Amino acid sequence: MGVYKKSDLYELWFNFRGQRDELQMMSDFALCDKKEAQALINEFAIKLEAETLDGAHRGREDRGAVE
C-alpha cells in the first residue's frame, strides 16, 4: 500500500470521493493499479454506509407508518 495505511487511505478517499478522477486518485495514493483501487473504493463505500447506519437509524421503527 505504499506510504499510507488503509485507515489513511480511507480518510483521503472520504475527502475526494465522488470526484470524476476518484479512481485515479486512489490508485495514485495507494500505489496500486486501478482494479485494486476500485476494490478499495468499494470497501470504503461499504464502510461509510455502515458507519452512517448507527443504532438510531436501523430498523423499521424509524421509518414511519406505511400507508
Side-chain angles (χ1 to χ4, degrees), residues 27-54:
S27 179
D28 291 346
F29 282 121
L31 300 175
C32 64
D33 63 25
K34 289 187 177 182
K35 183 177 180 180
E36 293 171 304
Q38 186 62 62
L40 282 170
I41 289 170
N42 293 345
E43 179 182 337
F44 294 160
I46 291 168
K47 178 180 177 177
L48 178 62
E49 184 175 345
E51 288 174 350
T52 59
L53 294 175
D54 61 14

Side-chain angles (χ1 to χ4, degrees), residues 1 3 9 23 25 31 34-35 42 45 48 61 65 67:
M1 292 261 165
V3 298
L9 290 171
L23 183 59
M25 291 172 74
L31 300 175
K34 289 187 177 182
K35 183 177 180 180
N42 293 345
L48 178 62
E61 308 83 43
E67 301 194 36

